[in-house]
Amino acid sequence: MKIINKVNYHTYIMCGILIVFCNNLYGQKKVEFSGQLSGLVNYSPNNEMNMFLGTRYIPELQFNKKLDTISDLNIEASLNVSSNLLFKPFYKSVTTNEINPYRLWIRYSRRKFEARFGLQKIDFGSASIIRPLQWFNQIDARDPLQLTNGVYGALFKYYFKNNTNIWAWVLYGNDKRRGFDLFISEKYQPEYGFRAQLPITKGEIALSYHSRGVSLNYNLPIDNSQEYRFGVDVKWDFIVGVWIEASHIKLQKNIGILTNQSLINVGASYTFGLGNGLNTNVEHMINTIEDESFTFQNNNHFTAITLQYPFGFFDSLNLVSYFTWKDNSTVVMLNYQHQFEAVTGYLMGYYNPTNAINLPDNQFINAFSGFGIRLMAVFNH
C-alpha cells in the first residue's frame, strides 16, 4: 500500500483567515457558510488498478458587506479537501490525501466597476466544450460539477452603459498547465493581459491578450521564453446560436515547431422540440503547432458534441463526446442525473482511448482509459 499526503502551505494561511472570519464576523451575521461534499465509486476494467474510491469536500465561507448605496465588499474563502483510493482488490493500492486552497479572494465593486484580488476563477469566451480561450482554468465539459483550480492574481472589470465591458488582470505565483498550454508559467514572473467585449447586432465580439513567461521544460539550449497570446471570440444568437473562438500563441524565442500554436473553434447550439427539448451543442476545432505563424501544416482536428435531455424537474440525461481526426480516437461520457431531496446522484458510463488525445487535462474528472462506470453523489449545504 502506498500513501501520499499533501498539504499546501497556503492552506495554513487560509485556515487562519477562516478562523478570524468565524470569530470576529459571524456574530455580525454577515458571514455565510456553505459547502459541497461529493463521493464517487469508479470501475475501469482495462486499467491495472481498476477500482477508484474518492471523496471531496469544498467548504466555503463568504463575507458580504454593503459599504454604501453603490459599493460592496465581498470575501470568499474555500478549501479543496480530498481523499482518494486507487486499488486492485487484494493486490495493491495507492491512497492520496490532499488539502489545498480552492478560492481565496476579496472583491470591491461599485455600480460599473469591480476589482478582485486573490485565488480566483477567471473564465471567458464563447465556446462551451473545446475552448481556445481556456487560458486560466481546467474546466472539463465531462465534469458535471465544473470544478477547476483557480489562479492567483488581480482582476479588474469596468462596464459601460451599452453593455461594453473591459477587463484587465495581473497574475503571479501560478505554475500549473491550463487549457491547451504547451508549457507551464514561470511561477515568480508576473503575467498580465486585458479583454474588451463589445455588443454587435444579435450578439457580441471580444478581443483578448495575455503575456507570460514560460518554462520550456525541453532539452533545448533555451530554458524559458516570453509568450504572447491573442484571442478573438464572436457569438450570434439567431434561430441557432453560432460562435467562433480563436487563439494564437507565439513564443518570443524560436524553438522550432512549438514556437507558434493556433486554435480555431466554430460551434453552434440549438434546442430541438423533441419531448421536453433536446439541447444540442456541436463544435469543431483546428489545433496547429508550427515554426512559422498561420501556415497550418501540422494540424489536429477535433469535433465535439453535447446532448442534454431533461425528463422532468428531477431527471436528465447528458452526453459529451469528442473525436480527434488525427488518430481516429473517440471519447464518450454518458451521464444520468437524478435530484433527490438533499442529494444529487449521477450514474455515468464512459469510454476513453488508451492513447493520448491532446485535450485539456482536469484532475477532477479522473479520466481512466478504456470503458468504465461511475457512481457519484453530491450533497450541497
Side-chain angles (χ1 to χ4, degrees), residues 332-372:
V332 179
M333 171 77 83
L334 186 64
N335 174 20
Y336 176 75
Q337 175 181 333
H338 178 75
Q339 180 64 56
F340 297 93
E341 184 174 351
V343 175
T344 305
Y346 301 87
L347 172 60
M348 293 172 272
Y350 63 84
Y351 172 77
N352 295 309
T354 54
N355 55 310
I357 58 172
N358 298 316
L359 285 169
D361 293 324
N362 183 337
Q363 69 179 79
F364 302 100
I365 195 66
N366 306 115
F368 300 96
S369 62
F371 291 96

Side-chain angles (χ1 to χ4, degrees), residues 216-222:
L216 301 181
N217 292 334
Y218 283 87
N219 295 321
L220 298 167
I222 304 169

Side-chain angles (χ1 to χ4, degrees), residues 239-305:
I239 298 175
V240 176
V242 180
W243 58 84
I244 299 172
E245 181 173 308
S247 174
H248 180 68
I249 304 168
K250 184 177 182 64
L251 291 181
Q252 184 182 45
K253 299 176 182 178
N254 191 309
I255 61 169
I257 195 173
L258 299 179
T259 303
N260 295 275
Q261 182 184 20
S262 298
L263 305 101
I264 303 173
N265 174 299
V266 178
S269 176
Y270 184 72
T271 300
F272 293 91
L274 302 174
N276 296 322
L278 177 64
N279 180 259
T280 305
N281 290 277
V282 179
E283 294 181 352
H284 183 82
M285 190 183 78
I286 301 173
N287 182 5
T288 180
I289 53 175
E290 50 207 348
D291 190 350
E292 299 293 333
S293 299
F294 308 119
T295 58
F296 293 96
Q297 294 179 351
N298 186 30
N299 302 330
N300 197 359
H301 291 254
F302 300 92
T303 300
I305 184 171

Side-chain angles (χ1 to χ4, degrees), residues 46 99 124 176 209 275 293:
N46 291 14
I99 302 177
F124 51 74
K176 291 185 173 65
Y209 170 80
S293 299

